[in-house]
Amino acid sequence: MPKRRAKNLKNLKRLKNRCILLGVSGGVAAYKSVELARRLTDEEASVFVVMTEAAKQFATPLSFETASHNRVYSSLFDEPMAHISLPAKADCMVVAPATANTIAKFAHGLADDLLSTCFLSFRGNVIVAPSMNWKMYDNPVVRRNLDALASAGVAQVGPGSGALACGEEGVGRMAEPAEIVEAVRAALSEKNLSGERVVITAGPTREYLDPVRFISNRSSGKMGYALARTARDRGAEVTLISGPSFLGKPAGVAYIGVETTSEMLGAVTEAVAKGATVLVMAAAVADFSPVRESRLKIEKGRGLTLKLSPTKDIVTSVSSSRKRPFIIGFAAETGSRADRAAKKMKEKKMDMIVFNDVTEPGAGFDVDTNKVEIIDRRGRIHTGLMSKDDVADAIFDRFLEIKA
Ligand code: CTP
């Protein structure tokens, strides 16, 4: 591999400098949208909030001003051209909470306040996050209005089910802010991976000693799931093959749950054979397996000496096959051992390897951030500490560079 100075990648954020118009209508979930505004500004997006009169009964403009670092708009007449100028500078419009009334106005083109006029003049991706009582949400009239919005190209996120403000249970809870941010990221993603068929592995694998005990590792699956969401958002057809994880299955990807290394090997081989163009091995595959798996629970007795044998290497099995996809591996090491990772890449015939030092703060297990070095035949790139979603973007950006 040519010795090149590692490039530093800083501030790679998909939402950075993007302008989001956040509409807030009058539902009790309005308070959750304050957090949504804060999360969007944390991602360095500029956020402009438009509140309906009813929304101000549930959350104060001051809260949104503080969270968005911008003044809040509400009246149609204070600045008569705001309904044109605000949408004109926005890249995406999000309405959260979207009440039954606001949804009805949008669906029928009513334009009697700032939010509904903004909706009509906006040319771009709109996302609504409905929030209402389950009986209202279930009402065919509301459903028809939402269908009308969907056929006009408006995306919907949520609602979820659970306890509602009225004390009843059902479907009608506004989607959580994290889920809405994800929908915004998806809406603003350039579809530059369309045509790619990406297989991603995530999480740990387990090797059983007996029916109740296994050997595994601390992987949460967060990096692999972030890669799956990101590839999906960027237009790829994604298959996520995951070991046991507490994370929710990402929507819009083919999901295959596995437990052991040999199950993962089987699933990867099958998915690759179906014509994958990229394989990303983000899973922390168990390296050893008990030589013998007891059919019955092993009794405590006087202690136990385990005899282990190495598991089959999944990535090598794919890289040595005749019709191989572009292969991206991971190397989670303890200490600054990028050279060891580079060696692994060569030995396992991968096209790229993503090295991280799990002892670094914010780059270990079960956290939402990572700090990696992307190594390939052309050089090395340091990402700096960033969210796993942004690391996933950096990896696919590099893949596109290499492929070009
Ligand atoms: N990997 C694999 N099959 C295995 C073990 C690992 O496909 N049985 C993949 C991992 O998913 C990762 C890459 O190989 O993408 C490197 O894994 P890592 O555990 O870092 O390396 P090992 O080869 O297992 O070596 P060591 O444990 O000695 O670091």
Side-chain angles (χ1 to χ4, degrees):
M1 193 182 59
K3 280 261 177 235
R4 285 226 208 153
R5 254 168 63 81
K7 278 202 278 183
N8 280 320
L9 204 69
K10 283 206 187 94
N11 290 327
L12 181 139
K13 286 191 168 172
R14 208 185 303 172
L15 298 186
K16 187 179 160 83
N17 297 334
R18 307 306 289 273
C19 180
I20 317 290
L21 188 57
L22 172 59
V24 183
S25 59
V28 72
Y31 76 93
K32 285 208 245 173
S33 288
V34 177
E35 191 197 330
L36 171 61
R38 190 190 53 75
R39 280 179 181 250
L40 292 168
T41 49
D42 282 353
E43 298 263 343
E44 296 178 50
S46 19
V47 179
F48 291 91
V49 177
V50 172
M51 296 179 83
T52 63
E53 281 308 314
K56 292 196 242 167
Q57 301 289 327
F58 294 96
T60 68
L62 184 61
S63 313
F64 282 103
E65 253 161 48
T66 313
S68 69
H69 313 304
N70 279 315
R71 64 162 281 211
V72 167
Y73 296 78
S74 191
S75 158
L76 188 53
F77 303 108
D78 279 354
E79 257 181 61
M81 283 305 135
H83 67 292
I84 309 293
S85 59
L86 283 173
K89 64 181 168 191
D91 295 301
C92 179
M93 181 172 178
V94 189
V95 184
T99 58
N101 183 46
T102 292
I103 289 165
K105 281 197 210 174
F106 286 4
H108 294 277
L110 296 184
D112 64 351
D113 63 5
L114 184 59
L115 183 58
S116 51
T117 44
C118 281
F119 172 73
L120 289 185
S121 82
F122 181 60
R123 292 285 167 272
N125 289 314
V126 181
I127 301 164
V128 290
S131 169
M132 64 198 78
N133 169 273
W134 70 271
K135 287 181 206 134
M136 293 171 73
Y137 185 66
D138 204 33
N139 191 306
V141 174
V142 173
R143 290 306 172 97
R144 265 204 306 276
N145 288 339
L146 281 166
D147 287 347
L149 289 183
S151 50
V154 172
Q156 180 179 332
V157 53
S161 94
L164 303 171
C166 51
E168 296 178 7
E169 295 251 339
V171 179
R173 282 170 68 89
M174 188 177 91
E176 292 305 316
E179 212 183 318
I180 301 174
V181 171
E182 209 186 290
V184 175
R185 289 177 71 95
L188 292 178
S189 296
E190 208 187 316
K191 308 294 176 212
N192 49 15
L193 289 177
S194 64
E196 298 293 347
R197 305 179 75 180
V198 184
V199 174
I200 297 167
T201 64
T205 59
R206 290 174 174 171
E207 298 304 319
Y208 278 88
L209 276 64
D210 67 21
V212 294
R213 304 184 182 94
F214 55 77
I215 300 173
S216 193
N217 58 65
R218 291 178 57 195
S219 170
S220 63
K222 284 187 172 177
M223 191 63 241
Y225 280 56
L227 283 153
R229 288 192 302 269
T230 300
R232 172 203 64 194
D233 292 353
R234 293 173 67 157
E237 187 186 315
V238 180
T239 302
L240 174 63
I241 299 171
S242 175
S245 168
F246 290 111
L247 303 172
K249 295 177 194 167
V253 312
Y255 179 92
I256 302 167
V258 296
E259 221 178 335
T260 63
T261 304
S262 90
E263 283 169 13
M264 186 171 274
L265 173 66
V268 168
T269 309
E270 205 180 312
V272 167
K274 283 186 187 155
T277 56
V278 186
L279 169 67
V280 191
M281 282 296 302
V285 183
D287 286 323
F288 299 103
S289 179
V291 170
R292 239 173 40 87
E293 179 185 337
S294 169
R295 232 172 13 88
L296 299 173
K297 185 180 163 193
I298 300 167
E299 290 177 18
K300 194 159 37 170
R302 283 209 189 150
L304 174 69
T305 305
L306 279 179
K307 211 166 167 200
L308 304 172
S309 60
T311 53
K312 191 153 184 217
D313 200 274
I314 300 172
V315 84
T316 308
S317 132
V318 176
S319 67
S320 45
S321 67
R322 213 164 42 84
K323 226 180 128 227
R324 51 166 283 170
F326 187 96
I327 300 175
I328 305 174
F330 272 72
E333 308 279 351
T334 44
S336 48
R337 311 188 71 188
D339 288 337
R340 182 166 193 266
K343 201 164 149 240
K344 266 184 204 173
M345 176 178 84
K346 228 172 171 179
E347 281 168 4
K348 298 194 184 195
K349 297 197 213 79
M350 303 187 228
D351 300 288
M352 187 189 285
I353 195 157
V354 182
F355 155 74
N356 71 317
D357 174 0
V358 293
T359 62
E360 283 232 14
F365 295 101
D366 215 19
V367 289
D368 292 317
T369 52
N370 207 349
K371 183 180 174 186
V372 308
E373 197 170 320
I374 302 169
I375 304 170
D376 53 55
R377 63 189 138 84
R378 289 218 226 142
R380 297 180 179 195
I381 296 176
H382 289 288
T383 61
L385 187 67
M386 52 175 66
S387 74
K388 285 185 171 164
D389 287 320
D390 290 331
V391 169
D393 265 331
I395 292 167
F396 287 120
D397 284 350
R398 183 61 173 169
F399 159 72
L400 288 173
E401 248 174 62
I402 297 277
K403 213 189 121 187

